Amino acid sequence: MAFDGKITDTQKAISEFGIQDIGEIVDSLKGDLLHPYLERGLMFGHTDATKIFDAIKKKISFAVMTGIKPTGQYHIGSLITCNEVLYFQSLGGKVYFCVADMESYLHSGTSLEEGHNTAIDNVADILALGLDYKNSYIYKQSEQKDVLKLAVLFTKNITYNMIKAIYGEQAFGAYQSALIQAGDILLPQLKQYEGPCLTVTPVGLEQAPHARLTRDLARKQLFREHYGFKMPSFTFHQILGSLDGGDKMSKSAGHSFMLTLSETSKSLKKKIALVFTGGRETKQEQLELGGRPDICRVFDLYRFFFMNREDELKKRQKECKTGKILCGECKQDLFSRACKFIEKHQTKKESKFDLAKQILEE
Ligand code: SF4
């Protein structure tokens, strides 16, 4: 979703945006309740999400809000959020999935027609990844009148100075887009949907300003009185860096720096060969000093997607640090795992296109 600014300093974001450490919640979870992202510190922070985990334990209903901008093929950065959404869904959350076609238009100039076709492809991806559409509400922003209505109502309580302080000097559409996104997050709380209800929105750290804006709007007396909004909760995950070692993997960074779920084995091989590693200058040096998994994008891909077992990940980290494995072999292993995952995904996705089309055109 929309924010274009970059936040790379976790500590600064935590203090500036009031993000809480998720450690205490993690300590209270066991078994299936503990997602590997929580265990690995990839989902590292939250705003007011203790009540969501309490609701899960007490089997109280809640909604999970998420979305995608239909501007291109589903990429692996979006898979992080999808994994979190599936996790919350498996624990009883009803998913609200927004196709952010208005945001795509306002930010990237993608026409609504073009966005629609891309959205079918993107929705086929999330269905193939395991979204239970029967316990979800999937919609396009441009056709969701209640979201657009909320976005207009919110303008009553936002001054130019307030919004400029958050997003800087922008075209008006970018501000509008932020308010539409706040409408998406609060939609499940309207009484004709689930509301007022508990909601959680898993996001990357760069979305912290949006989270704050939405909570500020939800607490405005006018909206509280009118809609009885409960304060929305958020969880925050680390951002996956671009394959070349840059700060963030995003569609705007260009296709060569990110993996999509539509890679062929040939393109995958080419991209993995170019991934930035924490390897040393020479083989000898690496054998003696070991690699640096902490700065390695290959290791990041393992941490986020391709090594679910904790003992296996720890073993690889140790092998890397002690020079027992070299980057060539490590990349070959990554290629095999990613290839298997993507091939399987593409087969499943093929069978989901009709359903995706039906959902979006109903
Ligand atoms: Fe990265 Fe693997 Fe090389 Fe270690 S061995 S630096 S984890 S690619």
Side-chain angles (χ1 to χ4, degrees), residues 71-118:
T71 52
Q73 289 168 344
Y74 202 92
H75 76 88
I76 210 158
S78 306
L79 184 56
I80 300 173
T81 311
C82 182
N83 285 338
E84 291 165 338
V85 167
L86 295 177
Y87 160 67
F88 282 118
Q89 186 169 54
S90 74
L91 299 176
K94 173 167 179 180
V95 175
Y96 275 66
F97 187 94
C98 153
V99 172
D101 57 348
M102 293 298 284
E103 283 184 59
S104 301
Y105 176 77
L106 293 169
H107 278 270
S108 325
T110 309
S111 72
L112 298 182
E113 292 73 23
E114 202 186 325
H116 177 75
N117 293 329
T118 309

Side-chain angles (χ1 to χ4, degrees), residues 276-280 286 290-293 295-300 302 316-317 319-321 325-331:
F276 176 81
T277 73
R280 305 283 177 178
Q286 190 153 347
R292 291 158 293 180
I295 59 162
C296 177
R297 291 287 180 259
V298 172
F299 194 69
D300 282 344
Y302 281 129
R316 177 60 52 91
Q317 186 178 35
E319 285 168 345
C320 167
K321 282 182 166 176
I325 187 165
L326 299 178
C327 298
E329 187 189 339
C330 197
K331 279 187 169 182

